[in-house]
Amino acid sequence: MALGWLGALGQLVLALCRKLGAVVLFAAEGLSHAVRPPFHPHLFLRAFLEVAYFSLPVVGLTAVFTGMVLALQSYSGFSRFGAEGAVANVVVLSITRELGPVLAGLMVAGRIGAAFAAEIGTMRVTDQIDALTTLSTDPMKYLVTPRLLAGIAAMPLLVLVADVLGVMGGYLIGTMKLGFSSGTYLKATFDFLQVMDVVSGLVKAAVFGFIVALMGTWCGYNSRGGAQGVGAATTTAVVSSSILILALDYVLTEAFFAR
């Protein structure tokens, strides 16, 4: 019995290592095409608009309501200790360091990761990727590299907007509902905010954007089995992106702020 469990565990670990290695090699090949001609700027622009512009409404709404809820919850908790004045500090710190990049990453994973996996997966099961190879067009350069670069470039911009809107949501609740004066709230926000808080969130955003694009393209590129396989690839892309975002958030936070 013990040997059976040990063997099953070993097989699981080996399978995970093989999968991880395949993803790393896929990412390395996709990024290598970014510095090798020919280049397809129109494909990058199309993917950039899909990630940045069309994801802006859902990310913006998420950030605004997150800032509002965070202000309310912070005030409710701090009022027990007479520390209501720290609400602005907690809102700006939480949004810029953690909630802005993480929530934006999760929203984009649900929207863009699924879209990439479904689009490329459909091309795979309908033999369109094989047709590209037949036409002497590298599928990695044509399908994967523009999306990887778009994810890296677009996510920091989305998170920057999310930071502004999230802090604005907290400001609106603080001034209109909780009784803070506008000048006092803004002064507390800007006095407490540091450059590293914003920079760390933007670095996280670039990493999360790369992860979302990578898992979406990888799952779609390796999908098999017709419509059912495309559906499974889409689900895997969203779930794996979300888990990796949460795991890497801890790693990056440890790297930036551990003492």
Side-chain angles (χ1 to χ4, degrees):
M1 179 69 72
L3 291 178
W5 281 103
L6 187 60
L9 179 61
Q11 290 179 355
L12 177 62
V13 171
L14 290 176
L16 290 175
C17 290
R18 284 194 297 268
K19 191 77 70 176
L20 178 61
V23 173
V24 171
L25 292 175
F26 183 87
E29 184 179 358
L31 291 177
S32 69
H33 285 288
V35 295
R36 289 187 289 166
F39 303 107
H40 302 287
H42 64 287
L43 295 176
F44 167 78
L45 181 60
R46 175 190 169 191
F48 181 86
L49 289 176
E50 187 173 358
V51 176
Y53 182 74
F54 294 110
S55 299
L56 189 58
V58 64
V59 172
L61 287 173
T62 301
V64 168
F65 287 113
T66 299
M68 291 180 174
V69 171
L70 186 60
L72 285 174
Q73 293 285 20
S74 300
Y75 185 84
S76 176
F78 290 160
S79 62
R80 302 177 185 178
F81 310 101
E84 297 91 339
V87 169
N89 302 341
V90 170
V91 170
V92 69
L93 193 66
S94 301
I95 291 292
T96 55
R97 282 190 180 186
E98 294 296 329
L99 295 180
V102 170
L103 292 179
L106 294 176
M107 292 298 104
V108 172
R111 185 184 181 279
I112 298 301
F116 285 174
E119 182 179 357
I120 297 177
T122 301
M123 296 181 69
R124 168 63 73 185
V125 300
T126 56
D127 297 327
Q128 295 181 54
I129 293 180
D130 295 333
L132 288 175
T133 304
T134 303
L135 296 172
S136 299
T137 301
D138 192 327
M140 292 292 294
K141 179 177 285 292
Y142 191 82
L143 298 175
V144 177
T145 302
R147 288 170 169 82
L148 294 180
L149 296 179
I152 296 172
M155 273 298 294
L157 298 179
L158 277 175
V159 169
L160 192 60
V161 174
D163 290 345
V164 174
L165 293 177
V167 173
M168 184 188 72
Y171 166 80
L172 292 176
I173 292 299
T175 56
M176 298 176 64
K177 184 176 180 62
L178 302 180
F180 291 97
S181 68
S182 177
T184 301
Y185 192 98
L186 290 177
K187 185 177 186 304
T189 297
F190 289 113
D191 287 347
F192 194 74
L193 183 64
Q194 297 181 359
V195 174
M196 182 53 65
D197 299 329
V198 179
V199 170
S200 65
L202 297 182
V203 172
K204 289 181 179 182
V207 175
F208 296 163
F210 174 73
I211 291 298
V212 169
L214 174 63
M215 297 312 300
T217 54
W218 185 81
C219 291
Y221 198 86
N222 292 280
S223 63
R224 297 290 187 274
Q228 186 176 2
V230 174
T234 303
T235 302
T236 303
V238 175
V239 173
S240 59
S241 297
S242 301
I243 293 174
L244 287 174
I245 284 172
L246 296 174
L248 288 175
D249 178 57
Y250 171 78
V251 174
L252 293 172
T253 301
E254 182 78 17
F256 275 112
F257 301 109
R259 294 291 185 268

